[in-house]
Amino acid sequence: MNPFENALEQLARAAAVAPVDTDLLARLQHPEREVRVAIPVRMDDGSERIFEGYRVQHSSLRGPYKGGIRYHPDADIHEVKALALWMTMKCAVANIPMGGGKGGITVDPKQLSKSELESLSRGWVRALAPILGPRVDVPAPDLNTTGEIMGWMVDEYNKITGDKTGAGFTGKPLKMGGSEGRVLATGLGGFFTFDALRKKFGIKEGASIAVQGMGNVGGNAAKIFSQYGYRIIAMSDSRSGIFKEGRLDVDTVLAYKNTNASLKGFPGARGISNEELLEVPVDVLIPAALENQITASNAGRVKARMILELANGPTTPEADDILFRRGIPVVPDILANSGGVIVSTFEWEQNLKRQQWSEKKVLEKLKKIIVAQSGIVFERSQALRTDLRRAAFLVALGRLETALKKH
Ligand code: NAD
């Protein structure tokens, strides 16, 4: 399952539902630039190791390239290309003035010491600085990259280029020019999307929720949904999961994972595998970890009444078809997890204007965008009698077509 092929397939499927400019489609099938770099790192034992890093600049039709950097042993150029294409679509669905890009390093960060991780992160910036910049390409965090890592990166970038705006990277710590609300943004944006759409699919307040992934996105989403009165009944991390019929206390689960590094042995809940988590009887399933989790082989067994994609690319095109036939709506990643890039764009704007907005202002602006765009995507899906993913792609494609005509 090559994620870039899946992304192209999604593009083709949307274009089969309504007319799309063929020049635009050809542009989007070919990232504007793909770069692979070798990053030498002096390890703590004195040896040198070379890591492979990537940046894919997919489309600048609507603004500077924007997208996170992923650290993962399975990260490769195909995955980064897919993620970059989705960023182009996501920024267009959110209607923010950004294009799409993505970066990565093939590495298991858990195997590195903190100083090795810092050298690697600074090395990625040194290798790619000539093609980055506040008006050119603005990276952010993704899987296994944190505010602290963004802090090292922006510091390295500023040293190399003399940039004083700090707008070259987003998702930075507050004291380094980060924005209020950025840490919560993806999970909270997911909640706003869900809340704008749930009634249309008959999901009631207090419904049950299962969350795969407990990082920035999944952990915060679980907290936010439970604060709004929803019942979290299943959670998982990369190693294992837990299920409890009534509800899990999310803060206790997160604290347990922090202390024990895993959910194994969590008292008062049944241990389940990650695969089982996707098939538990639940109102809303939230994949918030990796791509290709819901596939042709398990989509028939999903019991959720609605899927809210907070990870990028968790559902394959074949699984989309099965779920559509079964009447299970999938709120697509390019809409549901756009909160992160929306608040990243607010951070970029604050840096360029030398402003610092309050958390209240940031979250109100976020909510306004997400609620409006969720409504537009839903209406388009109704008008075309198609699923929300095709509808979201078509909303994005319409905006990209307008940009292409202006170029
Ligand atoms: P993270 O590194 O903070 O957390 C990832 C979580 O997923 C961890 O809890 C990890 O244990 C878990 N995980 C890893 N492999 C797993 C597996 N095989 N099964 C179940 N769980 C697994 O990363 P994140 O920033 O929370 O990103 C999660 C997803 O959300 C990714 O798909 C990312 O691209 C997407 N996303 C992130 C942001 C953001 O702002 N951070 C924005 C939009 C989308």
Side-chain angles (χ1 to χ4, degrees):
M1 280 182 284
N2 173 335
F4 188 61
E5 308 260 301
N6 283 352
L8 290 178
E9 173 74 20
Q10 291 169 346
L11 196 60
R13 283 164 171 239
V17 175
V20 177
D21 184 286
T22 48
D23 290 346
L24 176 66
L25 277 181
R27 292 251 191 146
L28 297 176
Q29 284 157 356
H30 301 94
E32 290 171 11
R33 186 190 259 157
E34 294 172 33
V35 184
R36 282 177 201 236
V37 291
I39 309 167
V41 173
R42 181 69 54 201
M43 306 301 280
D44 292 347
D45 66 4
S47 66
E48 185 178 270
R49 257 181 79 186
I50 307 286
F51 292 87
E52 192 165 23
Y54 317 92
R55 188 72 184 166
V56 173
Q57 298 178 329
H58 178 260
S59 169
S60 56
L61 278 175
R62 299 185 77 256
Y65 307 105
K66 185 92 196 78
I69 306 165
R70 171 173 293 200
Y71 289 1
H72 198 273
D74 299 334
D76 64 15
I77 194 74
H78 306 294
E79 182 181 67
V80 177
K81 277 166 71 174
L83 291 161
L85 186 151
W86 287 323
M87 286 309 297
T88 299
M89 295 297 152
K90 195 177 300 184
C91 293
V93 173
N95 212 4
I96 49 179
M98 292 291 179
K102 202 83 183 190
I105 301 179
T106 310
V107 59
D108 180 356
K110 288 182 193 142
Q111 306 297 325
L112 300 190
S113 69
K114 191 160 170 183
S115 66
E116 290 166 345
L117 192 63
E118 178 171 350
S119 302
L120 178 64
S121 305
R122 289 182 181 274
W124 187 92
V125 177
R126 276 196 300 278
L128 290 160
I131 61 160
L132 302 175
R135 303 278 178 191
V136 184
D137 184 345
V138 187
D142 189 68
L143 207 70
N144 290 323
T145 45
T146 57
E148 184 177 38
I149 293 176
M150 293 305 115
W152 295 331
M153 288 187 156
V154 76
D155 179 61
E156 190 67 26
Y157 182 78
N158 294 354
K159 270 191 206 150
I160 295 167
T161 63
D163 178 66
K164 298 218 167 21
T165 66
F169 289 77
T170 60
K172 303 180 291 289
L174 269 179
K175 61 177 183 343
M176 295 188 71
S179 176
E180 295 285 354
R182 175 62 184 89
V183 174
L184 286 182
T186 309
L188 191 58
F191 179 76
F192 291 149
T193 314
F194 163 79
D195 200 43
L197 295 175
R198 70 174 172 81
K199 284 195 197 130
K200 310 196 188 290
F201 301 114
I203 307 282
K204 296 209 172 76
E205 278 183 15
S208 59
I209 314 276
V211 186
Q212 183 192 49
M214 289 177 59
N216 171 285
V217 179
N220 280 311
K223 267 199 215 167
I224 292 162
F225 274 78
S226 113
Q227 278 158 9
Y228 278 95
Y230 289 85
R231 284 186 305 118
I232 311 297
I233 61 166
M235 293 171 77
S236 71
D237 67 6
S238 58
R239 292 173 212 171
S240 58
I242 50 174
F243 174 83
K244 186 171 178 179
E245 201 77 55
R247 75 162 70 206
L248 291 161
D249 183 78
V250 175
D251 288 335
T252 312
V253 176
L254 293 173
Y256 184 91
K257 150 111 181 157
N258 246 344
T259 319
N260 300 283
S262 128
L263 294 176
K264 283 214 171 77
F266 182 81
R270 178 158 66 82
I272 55 172
S273 68
N274 246 310
E275 293 71 37
E276 285 173 283
L277 179 130
L278 300 170
E279 299 173 19
V280 295
V282 71
D283 293 315
V284 185
L285 172 62
I286 304 185
L290 295 174
E291 52 267 19
N292 294 336
Q293 298 300 298
I294 306 171
T295 66
S297 60
N298 63 1
R301 294 193 300 272
V302 167
K303 292 179 196 69
R305 296 169 54 215
M306 177 182 188
I307 296 175
L308 182 73
E309 292 186 334
L310 295 192
N312 284 306
T315 314
T316 64
E318 298 73 28
D320 263 344
D321 283 347
I322 297 168
L323 295 166
F324 190 61
R325 275 201 301 276
R326 295 184 58 214
I328 301 173
V330 180
V331 186
D333 46 9
I334 59 168
L335 175 66
N337 72 26
S338 61
V341 73
I342 293 171
V343 175
S344 267
T345 303
F346 295 162
E347 178 177 333
W348 172 79
E349 190 181 335
Q350 290 170 78
N351 294 155
L352 290 176
K353 294 181 176 165
R354 299 184 188 284
Q355 296 176 349
Q356 183 78 54
W357 303 347
S358 68
E359 185 179 67
K360 185 165 176 280
K361 175 171 173 173
V362 168
L363 299 183
E364 275 171 11
K365 281 169 76 79
L366 169 67
K367 184 171 182 180
K368 201 168 160 205
I369 294 178
I370 294 243
V371 170
Q373 301 309 329
S374 299
I376 290 171
V377 169
F378 180 76
E379 293 307 326
R380 184 68 63 90
S381 77
Q382 294 294 101
L384 294 170
R385 293 174 193 217
T386 191
D387 60 15
L388 292 167
R389 190 182 319 279
R390 286 174 173 86
F393 264 76
L394 287 166
V395 168
L397 289 165
R399 292 175 181 155
L400 285 156
E401 198 172 316
T402 307
L404 180 62
K405 289 202 177 111
K406 283 195 201 140
H407 263 245

